[in-house]
């Protein structure tokens, strides 16, 4: 019960229904600590493109949606702590690859 209260207090400002990856450490004395991370990139890309799910067929030329580079830049700002990138441009390239693998085209 204690974890639920602490988790809800930390995530109360997050949009309802958004998945939040969490790392939980439980100690032998039954105390705990947890760290929340940013939402998955695929969730943020689908939300920005206005889609419920990605394409079921990867690598096809027909795209199910599109997203602008400005949207990718905003997502990169949210995800920059969790991505393995030195700057926002590198993070945008990582996210563009994720979008392409989901069947979403990236426009300038």
């Amino acid at each position: 019960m204690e974890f639920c209260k602490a988790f809800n207090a930390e995530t109360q400002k997050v949009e309802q229904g958004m998945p939040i990856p969490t790392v939980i450490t439980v100690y032998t004395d039954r105390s705990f600590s947890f760290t929340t991370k940013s939402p998955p990139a695929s969730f943020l890309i689908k939300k920005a493109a206005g889609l419920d799910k990605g394409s079921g067929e990867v690598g096809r030329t027909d795209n199910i949606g599109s997203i602008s580079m400005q949207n990718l830049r905003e997502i990169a700002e949210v995800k920059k702590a969790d991505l393995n990138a030195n700057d926002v441009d590198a993070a945008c390239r990582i996210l563009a690859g994720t979008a392409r693998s989901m069947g979403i085209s990236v426009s300038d």
Side-chain angles (χ1 to χ4, degrees):
M1 212 49 193
E2 208 175 310
F3 169 76
C4 293
K5 290 179 183 178
F7 182 79
N8 288 339
E10 174 133 350
T11 60
Q12 69 184 356
K13 294 180 182 172
V14 176
E15 177 185 329
Q16 196 74 7
M18 184 177 289
I20 303 294
T22 307
V23 177
I24 304 168
T25 306
V26 180
Y27 303 103
T28 56
D29 64 351
R30 300 185 70 144
S31 63
F32 62 90
S33 65
F34 66 95
T35 306
T36 57
K37 302 200 180 268
S38 60
S42 59
F43 177 83
L44 296 173
I45 291 170
K46 287 186 298 187
K47 182 179 170 190
L51 300 172
D52 292 331
K53 63 179 186 173
S55 174
E57 299 176 5
V58 178
R60 292 291 183 118
T61 57
D62 53 334
N63 293 320
I64 61 168
S66 65
I67 189 171
S68 70
M69 197 57 147
Q70 179 61 32
N71 291 117
L72 277 183
R73 192 168 288 282
E74 292 169 5
I75 294 170
E77 290 294 330
V78 172
K79 294 285 298 172
K80 69 181 173 184
D82 294 334
L83 289 175
N84 188 16
N86 294 331
D87 58 359
V88 176
D89 291 331
C92 286
R93 288 192 299 273
I94 292 169
L95 293 170
T98 302
R100 278 192 302 273
S101 70
M102 294 170 62
I104 300 171
S105 64
V106 178
S107 61
D108 292 332

